[in-house]
Amino acid sequence: LSPAPAGRQRVVFRHLLDLRGEELLPGDTVFYRVEAHDGHPRRGPAVSDTYLLRVPTLREIQTTRADRTEALSETARELAEAAEELARSALEAERQRPTEGRRGDEAEVGFEGTQDARAVLEEAEAANETLESMREELERLREEVGESALSDPALADQLEKLVERYRELLAEGLGDRIEELARALRELDPEAVREALRSMSEDADALRRQIEETLGLLEQAALEQAVKSAREEAEELADRQRAAAEETPTDPEDWAAGEERLAAEAETLAEALDEIERRLEEAGQEPASESAGSAGERASEAAAAMRQAAAASRSAAEGQAGPEGERAQQSAEQAADALEEAADALQSASEELGQGGRAAETEALARARAEALELAAAEADLAVSTRGESPVTPEAWRARQAALRQGLENLIEQLSDGGSRSTLLDRETGAAAGEAAERMDRVLERMVDDGARRLPSRAEADRIAESLNELAARLLASETAARAAQQNAGGEQAGEQMARLAQQQQGVTQRTSALLVPGPKPPGSEERAREIAERQADIADRLRALDDPEQELLGRPEELAREADEIARRLQADGPSAETLDRQRRLFRRMLDAGRSLEDDDLDP
């Protein structure tokens, strides 16, 4: 080291290992270590431990995604409960304060008189911290989904809406109320403390309602990711079981042990599917729930067939090799078939869940828009009745306005419930509904105050009608956007299908790599090479069958299919080679990019 302080014997290096040029793909692992050399004539290098950097597989990405969306949904539920408790605590603390401020009695105000208020302040600060952490986690997940190799445009759109809403909740939430209450407690001002507690209760209750509006979209996202994760697991399990069924066991006992391990995984999958079926049923997603239930039955059947295969294999090892060996292979094949059927059923559940959510969103918005227009027309008629040859009495006018106000309240509740199921309304729509409600309330309150002795002006009623028309216009814009998203669902589905095929290509590529290890070829290598070629050809067939009606995918499926066909022919004719493996890796990368091409993110060059 030059230059260095005299006597220095130790130095810390910060080194960046740049792996961007390595073309790492999901499932790859990099092993690395550090060696440090100096000029000592006899001492050798200092060598670190060996570390590894592992790029997660697509299935692991999907599983992590499902776990994180579920955790966010649970945190939102807990936050809504905390906001409800905070509103109740603040209201009780405000009611328990003396009706008249006693600023001179600082000892009582500073101790007994502020204990409940300080507890409320701590609750509010904890809720605000949770709100901030939720916003940060949503933003992290949104960024990761955008950068991930596993495309999911629907989740990306959901997260974008949620991030924006939680930013608004944080900006409009409890921060100002926390500062007001803390300042009142510092100044030992009983009246200011009481007012801050009252405001805290109102704002906490409003926050609870707004969080509950987001909860439905979070639960929808968590359900969709849980179904996709289960589908990925079923597909991978089916792949491994199919490989076991096509294998010629050299050690029946070892093969039986492998089948029992797979059976345990299939049983775990079946239990998870039972829970998913229950959650889908509770969410009112009956078609998706039925598909998930069917998948669970197939997974249970697969587990039973695997255990039968294991028992038959052990019998074959004990001297009944002929019939028992054939029975073991048949049971193993039945298990693979059942798991593939389970994966197909989960794919149906995923599509039904997405289509159901989009259809429910569009239907709710269309119904709300129609009702807003009806309210606006009725309000316009009411405005006309304020001036004319035979105007209505103030009492009758107020009764009709009160009925319209109740209709608007029902519409606002309907919008909240509809949004909770599948989407979030934009803030402008909510503001338009709030403005119309506020104008109605002002007119009704004034008529109550003066005993309904006079009618409101035509201009006042016209302004209410204008607000209702603005609400209808906002709802029409949201409905139009929802219908466009519904039409684009086919393209998103093509992207997801391409991502699943990329995952299958990943598995084929890994099998090819496993056969290229140095040294003598293990027994059964030729048979496994033929299986790899068949799987590569099957991927080519699925690429040709992929439905991309708008031709939105970056890599044309038919071009990718031709490359997959050529690779399959090379594998069949010459067996695995370094050149073939390289082509498989390039094909995998092209399929990943094609799956992500429906998103706005930059593609891997």
Side-chain angles (χ1 to χ4, degrees):
L1 301 175
S2 177
R8 186 170 182 180
Q9 296 179 340
R10 181 172 180 162
V11 65
V12 176
F13 289 99
R14 304 278 184 199
H15 184 68
L16 177 67
L17 189 62
D18 189 348
L19 299 174
R20 285 174 296 184
E22 297 298 322
E23 295 189 353
L24 296 176
L25 298 174
D28 285 350
T29 303
V30 175
F31 297 88
Y32 63 95
R33 68 180 185 183
V34 178
E35 295 184 0
H37 304 260
D38 64 13
H40 195 284
R42 292 186 300 275
R43 187 168 55 222
V47 183
S48 75
D49 291 335
T50 298
Y51 298 92
L52 65 87
L53 168 69
R54 185 170 180 279
V55 184
T57 64
L58 297 180
R59 179 196 163 187
E60 289 167 340
I61 293 172
Q62 183 62 68
T63 300
T64 301
R65 205 173 275 179
D67 291 342
R68 291 176 69 181
T69 50
E70 181 62 38
L72 282 166
S73 177
E74 181 61 31
T75 302
R77 279 191 289 269
E78 294 171 355
L79 184 56
E81 292 172 2
E84 183 177 17
E85 180 61 28
L86 173 61
R88 184 164 49 248
S89 299
L91 187 60
E92 290 175 358
E94 187 267 333
R95 287 173 177 170
Q96 290 172 5
R97 305 217 33 94
T99 56
E100 295 182 4
R102 294 180 292 179
R103 295 179 64 88
D105 192 356
E106 293 189 1
E108 182 180 348
V109 173
F111 181 65
E112 294 179 357
T114 61
Q115 279 184 311
D116 291 341
R118 292 187 187 281
V120 168
L121 182 60
E122 291 176 2
E123 283 184 52
E125 289 171 340
N128 212 47
E129 288 175 5
T130 303
L131 191 61
E132 172 67 21
S133 67
M134 270 206 72
R135 180 195 63 79
E136 292 174 352
E137 175 63 8
L138 282 165
E139 288 189 344
R140 278 194 297 269
L141 185 54
R142 180 196 59 178
E143 291 171 1
E144 290 172 17
V145 169
E147 296 170 358
S148 172
L150 186 59
S151 168
D152 197 332
L155 179 61
D157 181 59
Q158 289 168 327
L159 290 172
E160 185 65 38
K161 293 177 182 177
L162 286 163
V163 164
E164 184 60 31
R165 178 56 55 88
Y166 272 82
R167 282 177 181 163
E168 293 168 351
L169 291 181
L170 202 60
E172 302 169 2
L174 303 175
D176 291 343
R177 298 297 174 244
I178 289 171
E179 291 181 9
E180 289 174 9
L181 182 55
R183 183 169 56 251
L185 287 169
R186 284 195 304 270
E187 295 173 356
L188 299 176
D189 184 342
E191 187 60 37
V193 170
R194 185 185 305 110
E195 183 60 35
L197 287 170
R198 185 184 301 116
S199 298
M200 179 73 77
S201 178
E202 293 171 355
D203 282 12
D205 192 53
L207 179 63
R208 173 193 60 78
R209 291 194 302 271
Q210 291 171 320
I211 291 171
E212 286 176 349
E213 288 177 7
T214 71
L215 185 57
L217 188 56
L218 276 166
E219 290 174 342
Q220 175 85 4
L223 264 177
E224 290 177 357
Q225 296 307 307
V227 171
K228 288 178 181 179
S229 178
R231 184 197 66 209
E232 299 285 356
E233 185 175 352
E235 288 179 347
E236 182 182 305
L237 200 54
D239 231 11
R240 289 158 58 199
Q241 179 59 30
R242 181 66 66 190
E246 294 171 353
E247 180 184 347
T248 302
T250 55
D251 184 342
E253 178 61 37
D254 185 61
W255 189 88
E259 282 296 283
E260 288 183 340
R261 287 192 294 272
L262 289 171
E265 292 185 45
E267 288 165 350
T268 301
L269 174 62
E271 292 173 4
L273 289 172
D274 287 342
E275 175 64 15
I276 289 173
E277 178 187 10
R278 181 191 64 77
R279 290 171 60 191
L280 287 168
E281 187 174 1
E282 289 179 353
Q285 301 283 355
E286 285 80 7
S289 175
E290 291 175 5
S291 295
S294 174
E297 292 172 4
R298 300 289 87 75
S300 296
E301 291 173 7
M306 290 170 185
R307 297 208 180 275
Q308 291 173 359
S313 182
R314 288 197 172 96
S315 298
E318 294 171 0
Q320 306 176 42
E324 289 301 312
E326 292 178 5
R327 186 168 150 235
Q329 294 299 119
Q330 289 173 354
S331 295
E333 289 173 0
Q334 290 171 2
D337 290 341
L339 285 169
E340 287 169 356
E341 291 171 6
D344 290 340
L346 286 168
Q347 174 59 26
S348 297
S350 182
E351 292 171 0
E352 288 157 352
L353 188 56
Q355 291 167 0
R358 285 186 289 267
E361 173 188 1
T362 305
E363 182 182 348
L365 289 169
R367 187 167 55 250
R369 184 252 309 155
E371 291 180 12
L373 285 173
E374 289 178 5
L375 287 172
E379 189 68 41
D381 290 341
L382 196 56
V384 171
S385 70
T386 61
R387 297 290 181 270
E389 295 180 359
S390 55
V392 297
T393 65
E395 191 63 40
W397 197 97
R398 187 181 69 175
R400 287 172 62 184
Q401 184 65 78
L404 291 176
R405 177 65 179 87
Q406 185 58 52
L408 178 60
E409 186 65 30
N410 295 339
L411 174 58
I412 291 172
E413 290 181 5
Q414 172 192 321
L415 288 173
S416 298
D417 292 343
S420 294
R421 281 195 300 272
S422 57
T423 188
L424 282 174
L425 291 173
D426 61 82
R427 301 296 284 174
E428 292 178 345
T429 303
E435 183 178 3
E438 185 179 350
R439 287 178 173 176
M440 286 183 178
D441 289 341
R442 280 202 302 267
V443 169
L444 289 170
E445 287 170 7
R446 195 184 68 245
M447 293 186 77
V448 169
D449 291 341
D450 67 10
R453 288 192 298 269
R454 64 184 178 86
L455 287 168
S457 68
R458 171 93 180 250
E460 287 178 307
D462 282 341
R463 281 195 292 271
I464 296 173
E466 288 170 6
S467 297
L468 291 169
N469 278 316
E470 176 66 19
L471 174 59
R474 295 291 180 189
L475 288 168
L476 176 60
S478 297
E479 179 190 352
T480 302
R483 291 193 187 282
Q486 201 169 358
Q487 292 172 354
N488 290 337
E492 292 179 4
Q493 186 175 337
E496 291 187 3
Q497 289 174 349
M498 182 63 79
R500 289 199 305 276
L501 287 174
Q503 185 172 12
Q504 294 174 22
Q505 181 62 47
Q506 176 190 23
V508 172
T509 303
Q510 289 172 338
R511 287 188 177 89
T512 303
S513 179
L515 289 180
L516 290 177
V517 294
K521 300 297 181 186
S525 294
E526 293 183 1
E527 179 63 28
R528 280 196 283 275
R530 281 195 297 272
E531 292 170 5
I532 291 171
E534 290 172 1
R535 289 176 182 275
Q536 189 67 75
D538 181 60
I539 290 173
D541 292 339
R542 296 189 181 202
L543 283 167
R544 271 188 292 272
L546 194 148
D547 186 21
D548 181 23
E550 303 298 328
Q551 294 189 335
E552 294 178 312
L553 295 175
L554 177 68
R556 296 287 176 256
E558 61 272 14
E559 295 175 4
L560 299 175
R562 283 196 293 272
E563 175 64 7
D565 267 334
E566 180 59 27
I567 294 172
R569 281 193 290 272
R570 291 288 184 91
L571 286 166
Q572 191 72 41
D574 307 324
S577 66
E579 179 188 356
T580 304
L581 178 62
D582 187 52
R583 291 181 69 170
Q584 285 179 319
R585 291 170 69 87
R586 287 200 302 271
L587 175 62
F588 177 35
R589 186 176 293 282
R590 289 174 63 191
M591 292 169 71
L592 285 179
D593 281 348
R596 296 187 61 213
S597 60
L598 296 178
E599 302 177 20
D600 292 331
D601 304 294
D602 292 336
L603 299 176
D604 188 313

